[in-house]
Amino acid sequence: MKNFKIKTGILTVGLLLSTISCERYLDINDNPNQPAIEWVTPNELLPVGITKCYSAQGRSLMAFSSVVMNTLAGNSLSFGAPYIDDYKPNVSNTFYTGIWDGLFLGAANFEQIIKYNDPEGKYVQYKAIAKIMKANYIQILTDLYGDMPYSEAFQQQNNLTPKYDKGENIYKASITDIEDAIALIDTHAGDKPGAADIVFKGEMEKWKAFANTLKLRYLLRMSNIPSGDLATFRDQKLAALSGATFINENVVENPGYSAANDSQQNPFTNYFVLTTAMSRPQNYSYNVASENVQIVMNGNSEGDARPVYQKFTGIVDGRRARMFNLVGGKVVGIRQGNLPGEAGVPTGGTLSRFNYGITIGGTSTPTSNPELLAMVSSRGGYIMSVAESKFLQAEAALRYPALFSNAQGNFTAAITASFTLFGSTANLPAYLTAISTKNGLGWAGTDANKMEAIMTQKWIALTGVNPEQSYFDYTKTGYPVTLSATIASNPKPNRLIYPLSEYIANAVNVPAISNTDVFSKNQYTPFWARN
């Protein structure tokens, strides 16, 4: 594969630029000395937008989602009282600002591709990819923040204070973008993206399948809307999606990540795992397995009597050794919010952290430090996994059996895909047998039990991959049931607060969201979660 050297800078608020040499390695820097935006082509903008968005997704969004969904905990054995704001939670305009800033910067590249002046139609397929990728990350932003700039966003100096659009209108516009992208792909017009497509290398049928799957995710997010125009819109779009082809492989971006230096590594790697100097970043020491995921992975061998853990009793998860390193043959974590000497905090200093199934994938275990460094550094970034695609199809078939079929088959395929991704296929048959009669964990019981099972298994499968999707599932369904930290004074948030940068730069338009608004159902809650 070709490698990209990428330099990024900001011309105006919210606009990311790049220059790329296809024969050089990936190198991401801040550089204000960039060419005028009209000189930068879609071929150059596309990989930068994708890598910029994934960087925010694989770092800030990964950290927030992993803690709020209780798979990671702060290492209170080494850091005193970690993750106080996350545990309470105290959500403010300085809370995880990297999510908003990073995704908006990346999305600016996609918008520039979409509106790029292309009279000869050379970049039609690039525009299709940009529409799909923009819709993917705009959904994440809308699900996290509700109303936000959209129709007037990304206009640079022409509008530095864009208005806020309603989340439901952003959803409709993004679904239109997805449909437009599919129509553009079907024209077969323009140049076929090659190395600039760092996901599918120009295989546009795969982009169509991903677009269909993304559209399904949008529509299922709206599944709790009981009636009215939005419900009618959702049902019409679902009917049109019946029989569509969905993605059947992991959607992974990789511009040529390597161990050449830290800036060329997968950004997840040098944030959570290992730097090119073979040293551990602070986040490696800071983030450990939670007691919650410990009990789930170990089949409640601890005999915890809390009701949330009863369905896991006796079900040792065959993925555990690949997802987390084992200590004494088990996952060992920390109870969120507790300190040394309190319940759920082990007396020893060795704790479990993300292991090879997450940091490398389903490949073989490295046998030397140089091989380890090369493998964790060059791993691609997951945009969507096969497991998520199959869980979405299972949910669709369970909710809308007249339109979609094979709910149980897709549920099983999703778990299978997760075991494959983490490199645990040998343990799959025993696990499927063990969960088969467990309400809320296997395909058993009522439809409500099966929905709980979908969301619970999806949460496990997306650990260390795309945990934000399980956070949105929890906001929508209340599943999977995950305990809050012992020091929590608020429930899990329904949304985040706009960053301080927005209150400074766009004060005339940004809604004044209070900490209280975050935890109650109100006009500021993402529209699909108000019921």
Side-chain angles (χ1 to χ4, degrees):
M1 68 179 294
K2 291 189 177 182
N3 299 301
F4 291 86
K5 180 171 182 178
I6 302 176
K7 298 178 180 179
T8 63
I10 301 174
L11 257 183
T12 60
V13 175
L15 181 61
L16 184 71
L17 292 179
S18 70
T19 36
I20 303 170
S21 169
C22 292
E23 303 304 322
R24 307 289 294 275
Y25 287 97
L26 178 74
D27 189 11
I28 300 176
N29 307 289
D30 288 326
N31 182 359
N33 302 313
Q34 293 294 336
I37 184 64
E38 60 268 19
W39 299 350
V40 184
T41 67
N43 188 65
E44 297 162 329
L45 288 164
L46 184 61
V48 181
I50 295 172
T51 54
K52 182 64 179 177
C53 285
Y54 174 70
S55 181
Q57 184 175 18
R59 288 180 167 184
S60 298
L61 188 56
M62 177 74 71
F64 163 72
S65 306
S66 298
V67 176
V68 76
M69 292 309 296
N70 209 337
T71 49
L72 291 183
N75 185 358
S76 60
L77 292 175
S78 300
F79 290 90
Y83 279 129
I84 290 294
D85 286 339
D86 297 66
Y87 288 165
K88 287 289 187 180
N90 292 321
V91 181
S92 68
N93 59 21
T94 59
F95 186 74
Y96 287 102
T97 58
I99 299 173
W100 174 282
D101 294 340
L103 295 186
F104 256 104
L105 282 172
N109 287 262
F110 303 135
E111 181 65 18
Q112 187 61 31
I113 294 169
I114 292 167
K115 67 182 183 183
Y116 186 81
N117 185 25
D118 184 29
E120 296 180 358
K122 180 179 181 180
Y123 294 110
V124 170
Q125 302 304 311
Y126 291 81
K127 290 176 182 283
I129 295 172
K131 284 177 177 284
I132 295 166
M133 290 305 299
K134 179 186 172 188
N136 180 64
Y137 286 108
I138 288 295
Q139 183 184 31
I140 291 174
L141 281 166
T142 310
D143 290 348
L144 283 171
Y145 296 97
D147 300 348
M148 67 180 196
Y150 183 81
S151 61
E152 294 182 0
F154 314 119
Q155 295 185 27
Q156 308 162 54
Q157 299 286 3
N158 293 328
N159 190 348
L160 297 178
T161 57
K163 72 174 184 178
Y164 273 59
D165 293 283
K166 290 186 177 297
E168 48 266 49
N169 293 334
I170 296 172
Y171 255 55
K172 287 182 177 180
S174 294
I175 290 170
T176 297
D177 266 348
I178 293 170
E179 293 171 343
D180 288 347
I182 292 172
L184 290 175
I185 292 170
D186 285 341
T187 68
H188 304 289
D191 292 349
K192 189 174 183 179
D197 174 5
I198 60 173
V199 180
F200 292 130
K201 306 299 181 290
E203 295 187 49
M204 301 309 295
E205 288 302 309
K206 292 181 179 180
W207 278 108
K208 276 182 63 176
F210 176 42
N212 286 331
T213 314
L214 180 58
K215 184 177 177 183
L216 182 63
R217 183 207 279 168
Y218 263 94
L219 297 170
L220 289 177
R221 195 82 83 227
M222 302 166 66
S223 58
N224 284 351
I225 297 172
S227 59
D229 292 344
L230 279 174
T232 299
F233 171 84
R234 175 201 63 210
D235 293 345
Q236 289 173 344
K237 295 298 183 181
L238 281 168
L241 200 56
S242 178
T245 299
F246 301 107
I247 196 67
N248 199 34
E249 68 177 79
N250 297 316
V251 183
V252 179
E253 60 84 45
N254 196 329
Y257 294 130
S258 78
N261 56 59
D262 286 358
S263 65
Q264 294 175 15
Q265 285 183 293
N266 181 315
F268 167 88
T269 297
N270 58 40
Y271 188 84
F272 282 105
V273 186
L274 192 67
T275 72
T276 53
M278 288 298 295
S279 62
R280 295 295 189 182
Q282 179 171 299
N283 279 299
Y284 176 84
S285 299
Y286 197 84
N287 291 280
V288 298
S290 68
E291 183 198 46
N292 180 66
V293 83
Q294 164 194 313
I295 294 171
V296 170
M297 292 282 107
N298 294 336
N300 195 17
S301 61
E302 301 81 359
D304 195 296
R306 286 174 286 182
V308 66
Y309 297 122
Q310 296 316 296
K311 68 183 178 185
F312 297 102
T313 301
I315 311 293
V316 175
D317 197 303
R319 292 163 286 190
R320 66 175 179 170
R322 292 290 297 182
M323 295 175 68
F324 295 91
N325 64 292
L326 303 186
V327 179
K330 295 183 178 182
V331 176
V332 176
I334 283 180
R335 185 174 299 182
Q336 287 187 342
N338 279 11
L339 302 176
E342 297 179 331
V345 181
T347 55
T350 305
L351 299 162
S352 298
R353 295 173 174 85
F354 286 152
N355 206 15
Y356 296 134
I358 291 173
T359 63
I360 297 173
T363 58
S364 59
T365 301
T367 58
S368 66
N369 284 340
E371 185 181 13
L372 167 65
L373 179 61
M375 292 174 76
V376 298
S377 299
S378 61
R379 192 211 83 171
Y382 293 102
I383 298 171
M384 179 184 282
S385 65
V386 175
E388 182 186 350
S389 172
K390 296 297 184 180
F391 280 124
L392 288 169
Q393 293 173 64
E395 180 184 356
L398 185 62
R399 290 187 184 275
Y400 306 103
L403 299 175
F404 303 94
S405 60
N406 197 23
Q408 182 176 1
N410 281 307
F411 175 76
T412 301
I415 298 172
T416 301
S418 174
F419 272 75
T420 300
L421 187 153
F422 293 132
S424 304
T425 53
N427 300 321
L428 174 65
Y431 183 77
L432 290 176
T433 298
I435 67 170
S436 61
T437 59
K438 288 280 188 175
N439 290 351
L441 194 57
W443 202 258
T446 66
D447 283 356
N449 295 141
K450 292 171 183 175
M451 186 61 67
E452 180 183 357
I454 290 172
M455 298 306 169
T456 302
Q457 290 290 353
K458 188 176 177 183
W459 166 70
I460 298 171
L462 297 189
T463 295
V465 181
N466 297 128
E468 76 281 351
Q469 296 304 318
S470 286
Y471 166 62
F472 301 138
D473 287 338
Y474 175 84
T475 305
K476 182 181 75 171
T477 68
Y479 298 125
V481 178
T482 50
L483 299 179
S484 295
T486 57
I487 61 172
S489 55
N490 289 309
K492 296 182 190 297
N494 294 314
R495 56 160 297 146
L496 299 184
I497 292 178
Y498 305 109
L500 181 61
S501 59
E502 192 69 1
Y503 285 101
I504 294 173
N506 197 9
V508 67
N509 290 312
V510 60
I513 306 294
S514 71
N515 188 269
T516 302
D517 290 327
V518 167
F519 302 105
S520 61
K521 300 279 188 177
N522 52 51
Q523 71 269 32
Y524 302 119
T525 305
F527 74 96
W528 48 263
R530 293 173 189 165
N531 298 298

